[in-house]
């Protein structure tokens, strides 16, 4: 994909959140997106038509992250109220709340089968919650992190967490092994490449770092944006050709994956870009910002 | 019927009704069924579908399977004729499956050997087998020069299987492996490509190059590597026609080399095709018609493996001009100048000029040196010198002027074009040996070269000295450069420091490589014309120095550098144990399945919660215990229980001076769970760790006993108070905060605490000198308690009897309570979210009620799996407490396990034994009732 095919044209603006939008996520097939924010709501949108579909209200504090199951039937969300909410998408009701984190919960993800929710918390732990049983106890607590866990990624067999202690830790369930890659800089967000071989870690020194997962070597660094104090997302494009991230000044950056050159950057929001999510198949991207909007970008 | 027949006239034969045909059969069936219904089994007869009796008794003919209801054949049954085995004994036979098979079975078996039909015989195993068999049979028939079976290698199938055809269609060629190149190789390739990208990116090259790269590399990976696969090699080489075949690749090569033999080749091909040439093969060009072979080039004696060829022209020249011995210049100064001038000219313009001038100046005596006259030697010498001098200059200037294709195709540059890596040590060694053995002349030539241009050497730019600070290394680097860019001289000691480790050497080499590249690149920009000059010069000297780099100290500076650079990212690995349920949910096999659980980690919230709970319970326990002791020691005080309540209230105030709001949370934590006692215990009981509990209990005890004693007893009895309150406060802090979320977890503990309360109760009553019991069973716990109770009873023996009956009552009461409790379990579950600040008194009473409940429930269901650990824990705590309360009086209550159930009913009496008046008793009961509520 050449740089000209990057989504740079604003297709839609999703307005509705009051206050900052903290995360925006495509669903599995990219037809819908979810956003959550400081207004304690989660909103479901059709980004392509710019329609607001549903609002999920139950959180008592800001909602920091949301994730949807591959079958689009359930949501999980987390935020400042230290709980993980497990929602039914259709009815909009909370099926279960998982309590146990001793602090705000920063990130939450379903596993492949949507049977487990893994959450990353301010309490320096990753917790896995069972969606199948009625237990509200975590089925696993991973507390080897030395500082806040900011982000979590799941593969079929691994749980990967990025923490402010500068490490990206991979917990391989199949091998019973923890692999810690110390980047030396607080990790703000981690994101998997679509081929699953690399981890993109957004560090608080305004650098994105691309790690080879198998060897742990640093493949590339991407610089130019500002990321010093906000929880901001980064991701790779659907072809893994470019790396994208927001900046604290409201611009979106695209880097070439290989030579780390800034392929494109444009001002997208009036304020900090908190989240970027790339469409799984098309050249489409959604960004959320502290300015309260979610914007849809297309080529 | 009759009337019918009269009325109608019938023609023809009436169609017989089927009923009548099957009549017999039906009758048989009916009979059979009737028989079955009526007759006893031994009277029932088996009839066939025709109603005939086919099965006879053993003495009436047996099955009709024989010859019509008889045994034997048509001829009848004949007994076997007797044969004596005296003469022909049974031989010991090697039994095989065939000795048990009939002939027809054997025939069947014959056809059952599994084998691929030749059509599908991709790998030719069956065909080979078949061919070999055939060969064997053939060999049996005719004698052969080679005895024994035909070796496998000589036999191979000729036809082509479908598998092969398919593979061919898919692009596979013979001699290639059939591996799944997509699985790993793609990944590897990608990774390599990625690396390559990054490397390119680092080099600052344009991205277009990078763009084209991945495809290339992936393609490369997709092309299967030729493999000496055993099957294939054997097949192809052992092919009858193998001598006539070549792999296509080789064919192509030869094609290039010998276009002249192409036509014969084609002819050949046709011939062979008729005999079934395999598509992967082409007819060899050199099978029978031996193509003309070129002998290997004869290496001239004075050949120098000097890989830097300065253009074809000059090599010729250099070779043509043989070095001349040093000759004194002619006396005639004019002549000398002339000779030198001519020599320079000739050197510059070539031999042609010499010839020209010789022709022109044939008559001129001054130029007689050209044609062998005066000063000829000197001229020759001079010319040679000039040539040498010019060599590098011209060569290098030529480089600039010459077209790029003509440009000095050194082995290195060629290799670079082809993407080769420069050969390493081996080549160097060869060259060095050859140099040392061979041409000293060249050495001299190099020497002279160097010496004629010292300024160039000095002018070596700084860039070329990346290791200035480490001379030894710099030297090695120079040597490396020389090896890289120039063949030629090598010091026999191959330069690398012998005391360097192989790894260090490799690292250094990499380093050098990088440095050289950097230098070269820097050069290419500025002075592309003479890019190699400094190196040439430099390396020449380097080669001549023959320094023994090995003697010098080696500093692995770049090793350090790399470590500094490579600090991040840093990878570490640990063991990590996923919980079985997590594995299950991820649909993975637990890697630790069947292995013992890991050692308990550091105290977590749960533990501290434990301690919390224990604290609460043990408070009560101790208090009770104290009561008992008090009662024993002192005359029972009237308002004992009331006093206790007050005291506790006071004590709570006092103890919690440091952590004022603690108790609330604490109790909240407790009460949030107490309802779930029995419900969740099976799940969570395992969590409890005896040792942790012991710890928790003791700390709790330390703290609360202190408060207790201080308030309730200390003053009265003058006991010492262990002052370790602050510790526990800090501990209890976290649990209090974390209480709510872990409510569920707590419930388990409560189950424990129920039994522990019991224990503690008993324990406290006998903690005066009762040895710690370590044996484990809930039964024992009970026993002990009862024992203890007994002890206490003994102490207050005078009250025992009259109390006993009342106690039974109370026990019943308690039992009822327990039941009630169970009933309202569900409702009480909601108590978890109770308000944060109930009055302490309230709390206390509730606490007590719980305790009672627990106790009673325990008496019912004392088989909780945890009772052991609890029991142990409490014993420990008891022992500790014992130490603490050693100042108190001891009673020599020795434990007897045998006295168990007898006293079961007395557990409340023991407690109430000190309520010596009925009023008090009733009061106590009242209180209890209150707690229950």
């Amino acid at each position: 994909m050449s740089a000209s095919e990057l989504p740079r044209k604003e297709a839609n603006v999703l307005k509705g959140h009051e206050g900052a939008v903290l995360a925006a996520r495509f669903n599995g097939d990219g037809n819908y997106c979810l956003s959550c924010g400081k207004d304690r709501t989660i909103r479901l949108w059709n980004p392509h038509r710019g329609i607001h579909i549903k609002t999920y209200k139950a959180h008592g504090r800001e909602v920091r992250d949301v994730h949807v199951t591959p079958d689009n039937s359930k949501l999980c969300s987390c935020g400042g109220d230290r709980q993980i909410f497990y929602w039914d998408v259709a009815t909009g009701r909370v099926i279960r709340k998982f309590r146990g984190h001793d602090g705000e919960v920063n990130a939450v993800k379903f596993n492949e089968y949507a049977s487990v929710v893994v959450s990353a918390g301010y309490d320096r732990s990753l917790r896995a919650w069972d969606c199948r049983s009625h237990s509200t106890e975590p089925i696993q607590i991973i507390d080897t992190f030395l500082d806040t866990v900011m982000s979590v990624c799941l593969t079929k067999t691994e749980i990967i967490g990025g923490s402010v202690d500068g490490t990206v830790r991979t917990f391989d369930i199949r091998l019973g092994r923890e692999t810690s890659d110390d980047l030396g800089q607080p990790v703000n967000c981690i994101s998997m490449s679509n081929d699953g071989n690399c981890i993109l870690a957004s560090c608080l020194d305004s650098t994105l770092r691309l790690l080879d997962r198998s060897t742990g070597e640093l493949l590339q660094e991407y610089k130019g944006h500002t990321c010093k104090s906000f929880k901001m997302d980064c991701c790779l494009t659907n072809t893994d050709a470019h790396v994208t991230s927001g900046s604290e000044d409201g611009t979106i950056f695209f880097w070439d994956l290989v030579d780390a050159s800034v392929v494109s950057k444009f001002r997208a929001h009036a304020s900090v870009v908190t989240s970027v999510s790339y469409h799984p198949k098309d050249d489409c991207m959604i960004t959320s910002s502290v300015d309260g909007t979610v914007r849809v970008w297309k080529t | 019927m009759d009337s019918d027949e009269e009325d109608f006239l019938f023609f023809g034969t009436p169609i017989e009704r089927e009923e009548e045909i099957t009549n017999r059969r039906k009758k048989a069936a009916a009979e059979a069924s009737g028989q079955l219904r009526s007759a006893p089994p031994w009277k029932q007869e088996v009839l066939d579908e025709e109603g005939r009796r086919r099965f006879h008794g053993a003495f009436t003919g047996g099955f009709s399977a024989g010859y019509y209801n008889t045994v034997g054949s048509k001829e009848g049954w004949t007994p076997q004729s007797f044969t004596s085995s005296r003469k022909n004994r049974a031989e010991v036979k090697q039994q095989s499956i065939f000795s048990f098979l009939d002939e027809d079975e054997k025939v069947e078996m014959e056809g059952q050997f599994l084998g691929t039909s030749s059509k599908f015989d991709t790998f030719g195993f069956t065909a080979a087998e078949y061919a070999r068999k055939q060969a064997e049979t053939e060999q049996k028939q005719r004698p052969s020069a080679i005895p024994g079976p035909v070796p496998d290698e000589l036999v191979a199938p000729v036809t082509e299987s479908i598998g092969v055809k398919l593979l061919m269609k898919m692009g596979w060629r013979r001699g290639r492996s059939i591996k799944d190149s997509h699985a790993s190789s793609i990944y590897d390739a990608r990774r390599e490509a990625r690396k390559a990208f990054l490397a390119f990116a680092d080099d600052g090259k344009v991205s277009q190059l990078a763009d084209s790269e991945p495809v290339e590399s992936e393609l490369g990976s997709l092309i299967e590597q030729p493999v000496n696969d055993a099957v294939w090699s054997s097949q192809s080489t052992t092919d009858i026609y193998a001598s006539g075949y070549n792999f296509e690749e080789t064919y192509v090569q030869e094609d290039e080399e010998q276009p002249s033999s192409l036509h014969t080749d084609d002819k050949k091909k046709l011939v062979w095709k008729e005999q079934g040439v395999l598509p992967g093969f082409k007819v060899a060009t050199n099978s029978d018609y031996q193509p003309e072979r070129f002998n290997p080039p004869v290496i001239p004696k004075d050949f120098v493996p000097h890989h830097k060829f300065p253009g074809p022209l000059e090599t010729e020249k250099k070779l043509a001009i043989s070095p001349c011995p040093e000759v004194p210049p002619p006396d005639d100064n004019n002549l000398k100048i002339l000779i030198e001038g001519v020599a320079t000219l000739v050197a510059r313009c070539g031999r042609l000029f010499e010839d020209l001038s010789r022709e022109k100046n044939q008559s001129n005596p001054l130029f007689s040196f050209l044609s062998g006259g005066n000063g000829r030697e000197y001229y020759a010498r001079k010319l040679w010198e000039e040539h040498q001098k010019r060599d590098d200059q011209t060569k290098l200037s030529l480089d600039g002027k010459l077209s790029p294709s003509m440009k000095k195709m050194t082995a290195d540059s060629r290799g670079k074009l082809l993407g080769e890596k420069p050969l390493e040590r081996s080549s160097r060694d060869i060259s060095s040996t050859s140099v040392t053995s061979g041409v000293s002349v060249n050495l001299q030539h190099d020497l002279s070269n160097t010496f004629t241009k010292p300024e160039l050497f000095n002018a070596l730019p700084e860039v070329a000295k990346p290791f200035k600070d480490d001379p030894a290394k710099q030297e090695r680097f120079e040597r490396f450069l020389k090896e890289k860019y120039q063949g030629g001289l090598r010091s026999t000691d191959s330069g690398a420091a012998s005391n360097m480790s192989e790894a260090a050497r490799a690292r250094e080499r990499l380093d050098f490589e990088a440095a050289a590249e950097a230098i070269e690149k820097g050069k290419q920009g500025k002075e592309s014309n003479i890019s190699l000059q400094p190196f040439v010069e430099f390396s020449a000297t380097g080669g001549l120095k023959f320094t023994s780099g090995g003697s010098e100290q080696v500093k692995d500076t770049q090793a350090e550098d790399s470590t500094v650079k490579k600090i991040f990212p840093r990878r570490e690995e640990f063991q990590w144990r996923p919980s079985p349920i997590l594995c299950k949910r991820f649909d993975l096999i637990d890697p630790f399945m069947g292995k013992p659980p890991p050692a308990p980690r550091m105290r977590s919230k749960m533990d501290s919660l434990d301690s919390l709970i224990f604290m609460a319970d043990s408070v009560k326990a101790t208090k009770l215990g104290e009561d008992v002791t008090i009662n024993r020691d002192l005359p029972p005080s009237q308002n004992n229980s009331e006093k206790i309540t007050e005291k506790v209230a006071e004590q709570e105030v006092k103890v919690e001076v440091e952590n004022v709001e603690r108790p609330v949370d604490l109790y909240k934590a407790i009460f949030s769970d107490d309802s779930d006692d029995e419900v969740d215990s099976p799940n969570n009981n395992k969590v409890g760790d005896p040792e942790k509990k012991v710890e928790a209990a003791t700390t709790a005890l330390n703290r609360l006993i202190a408060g207790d004693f201080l308030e309730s007893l200390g003053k009265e009895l003058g006991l010492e108070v262990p002052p370790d309150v602050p510790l526990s406060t800090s501990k209890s802090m976290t649990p209090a905060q974390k209480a709510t979320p872990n409510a569920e977890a707590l419930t388990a503990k409560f189950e424990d605490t129920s039994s522990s309360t019991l224990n503690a109760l008993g324990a406290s009553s006998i903690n005066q000198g009762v040895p710690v019991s370590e044996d484990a069973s809930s039964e024992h716990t009970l026993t002990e308690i009862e024992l203890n109770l007994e002890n206490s009873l003994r102490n207050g023996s005078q009250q025992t009897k009259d109390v006993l009956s009342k106690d039974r009552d109370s026990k019943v009461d308690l039992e009822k309570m327990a039941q009630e409790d169970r009933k309202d379990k569900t409702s009480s579950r909601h108590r978890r979210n109770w308000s944060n600040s109930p009055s302490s008194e309230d709390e206390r009473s509730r606490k007590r009620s719980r305790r009672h409940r627990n106790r009673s429930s325990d008496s019912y269901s004392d088989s909780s799996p945890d009772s052991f650990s609890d029991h142990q824990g409490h014993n420990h705590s008891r022992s500790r407490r014992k130490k603490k309360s050693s100042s108190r009086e001891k009673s020599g209550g020795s434990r007897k396990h045998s006295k168990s159930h007898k006293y079961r009913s007395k557990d409340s009496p023991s407690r109430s034994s000190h309520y010596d008046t009925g009023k008090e008793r009733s009061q106590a009961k009242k209180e209890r009732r209150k707690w229950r509520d």
Side-chain angles (χ1 to χ4, degrees), chain A residues 78-143:
Chain A
C78 65
D81 50 6
R82 305 178 180 188
Q83 300 180 19
I84 290 96
F85 282 55
Y86 181 56
W87 302 81
D88 185 63
V89 170
T91 62
R93 282 185 304 158
V94 177
I95 300 168
R96 216 163 292 154
K97 295 177 189 175
F98 301 113
R99 299 190 193 90
H101 273 291
D102 296 327
E104 292 87 339
V105 189
N106 287 320
V108 73
K109 284 272 189 310
F110 278 110
N111 73 336
E112 192 200 6
Y113 309 109
S115 56
V116 173
V117 170
V118 180
S119 60
Y122 182 73
D123 61 353
R124 301 178 295 186
S125 71
L126 280 175
R127 280 162 200 252
W129 311 86
D130 193 354
C131 300
R132 295 252 169 97
S133 77
H134 286 279
S135 160
T136 51
E137 285 290 303
I139 53 174
Q140 176 94 46
I141 301 174
I142 300 169
D143 49 6

Side-chain angles (χ1 to χ4, degrees), chain A residues 102 115-116 130 139-140 143 173-174 176-178 180-182 197 212-214 216 219-220 258-259, chain B residues 187 191 194-195 197-198 201 207 568-574 576-579 581 585 591 601 605:
Chain A
D102 296 327
S115 56
V116 173
D130 193 354
I139 53 174
Q140 176 94 46
D143 49 6
I173 299 163
R174 196 169 39 181
R177 187 152 284 279
E178 172 190 349
S180 162
D181 291 314
D182 194 348
N197 293 327
D212 187 302
R213 280 186 58 214
S214 54
L219 295 175
Q220 192 55 275
V258 174
D259 57 12
Chain B
Y187 174 71
R191 247 187 71 199
R194 216 185 297 133
K195 272 189 196 165
F197 284 170
L198 298 172
S207 55
F568 297 116
R570 188 176 48 210
R571 175 161 274 207
E572 287 170 282
E573 293 215 345
F574 313 97
W576 170 67
R577 183 162 186 151
S579 67
I581 181 92
R585 289 286 179 258
R601 297 242 287 206
K605 275 172 280 172

Side-chain angles (χ1 to χ4, degrees), chain B residues 520-535:
Chain B
E520 198 184 16
K521 211 188 287 169
K523 288 254 148 90
Q524 271 170 353
K526 297 180 269 181
E527 28 177 349
S528 56
N529 279 0
I530 49 160
S531 62
L532 282 182
Q533 179 119 354
F535 294 100

Side-chain angles (χ1 to χ4, degrees), chain B residues 240-526:
Chain B
I240 301 165
Y241 307 111
S243 57
Y245 292 148
N246 266 337
F247 289 121
E248 263 182 326
E249 298 130 301
T250 49
Y251 166 73
V252 169
Q253 268 184 7
E254 281 169 20
D255 208 17
E256 268 174 19
E257 284 165 14
Q258 309 152 356
S260 58
S261 63
L262 251 180
H263 59 282
T264 57
D265 194 36
D266 284 336
K267 235 196 303 176
K268 253 330 248 187
K269 225 190 279 177
L270 282 174
V271 174
W272 282 105
K273 238 183 200 141
E274 284 158 17
Q275 303 176 16
V277 178
L278 296 171
F281 293 97
K282 301 245 173 172
V283 179
T285 50
N286 58 350
S287 53
D288 295 326
Y289 305 92
Q290 198 61 250
E292 38 187 321
R293 283 200 175 272
F294 294 105
N295 290 326
V298 181
I299 300 166
K301 231 187 191 178
D302 56 346
F303 174 72
V304 183
H306 181 109
H307 286 296
K308 203 180 101 233
F309 304 110
L313 195 91
E314 276 182 282
T315 20
E316 249 173 54
K317 237 192 267 170
K318 206 189 258 175
L319 285 175
I321 303 166
S322 52
C324 302
E326 194 78 57
V327 176
D331 307 330
D332 187 355
N333 208 26
N334 274 347
L335 185 64
K336 185 190 156 203
I337 289 168
L338 183 69
I339 286 172
E340 279 174 10
V342 171
T344 322
L345 264 175
V346 169
R348 193 174 293 161
C349 305
R351 283 280 174 193
L352 212 66
F353 180 79
E354 192 189 302
D355 296 338
L356 210 72
S357 54
R358 193 184 294 133
E359 265 175 44
K360 270 190 180 169
N361 304 311
Q362 223 154 19
S363 52
N364 196 337
L366 265 178
F367 287 91
S368 60
F369 63 86
L370 282 177
S371 47
N374 190 17
R376 197 189 63 86
E377 286 90 7
Y378 182 70
Y379 166 71
R381 169 69 199 169
K382 211 64 203 164
L383 185 63
W384 185 79
E385 256 176 40
E386 278 304 317
H387 267 298
Q388 302 312 319
K389 266 193 227 174
R390 286 213 61 75
D391 244 11
D392 286 315
Q393 285 173 344
T394 46
K395 158 173 70 194
L396 290 165
S397 56
L398 263 177
D399 281 349
K401 287 168 217 154
L402 281 172
S403 64
S405 60
M406 286 289 286
K407 205 177 190 175
K408 217 183 24 161
M409 290 288 277
T410 64
D412 269 312
S413 59
R414 226 176 279 132
K416 237 179 257 170
L417 278 178
L418 296 170
E420 279 176 357
K421 275 197 172 174
L423 284 177
E424 306 241 325
R425 184 148 311 174
S426 58
S427 69
R428 179 213 311 179
D429 287 341
I430 291 165
S431 63
S432 63
T433 47
S434 66
V435 163
T436 43
S437 60
V439 206
S440 56
V441 183
N442 206 60
L443 189 145
Q444 268 185 351
H445 136 73
D446 270 333
L447 259 179
S448 65
N449 259 356
T450 323
F451 293 151
T452 47
K453 291 165 198 153
E455 68 284 347
L456 263 172
F457 165 56
N458 289 340
L460 183 75
E462 277 301 279
V463 205
K465 292 185 176 180
F467 307 103
K468 284 192 298 274
D469 31 346
D470 186 354
K473 194 165 172 189
Q474 173 65 26
E475 192 192 305
R476 281 199 301 279
F477 176 59
E478 284 154 15
R479 201 174 300 124
F480 167 81
L481 280 182
K482 172 197 68 195
E483 283 161 25
K484 191 171 163 66
Y485 294 111
Q486 195 188 26
L489 277 176
R490 299 280 180 276
S491 54
T492 33
D493 161 32
S494 64
S498 52
N499 60 349
M500 274 170 92
S501 73
E502 202 55 50
R505 221 174 288 164
R507 209 163 28 224
E508 199 174 62
R509 190 170 173 86
L510 278 176
D511 216 40
F512 286 166
E513 201 83 61
E517 210 147 282
I519 291 167
E520 198 184 16
K521 211 188 287 169
K523 288 254 148 90
Q524 271 170 353
K526 297 180 269 181

Side-chain angles (χ1 to χ4, degrees), chain B residues 77 79 158 182 196 376 404 469 490 542 619 633 655 702 718 743 857 916:
Chain B
W77 179 79
V158 195
H182 285 251
R376 197 189 63 86
D469 31 346
R490 299 280 180 276
V619 172
D633 297 342
V655 169
N702 286 349
S857 70
D916 52 348

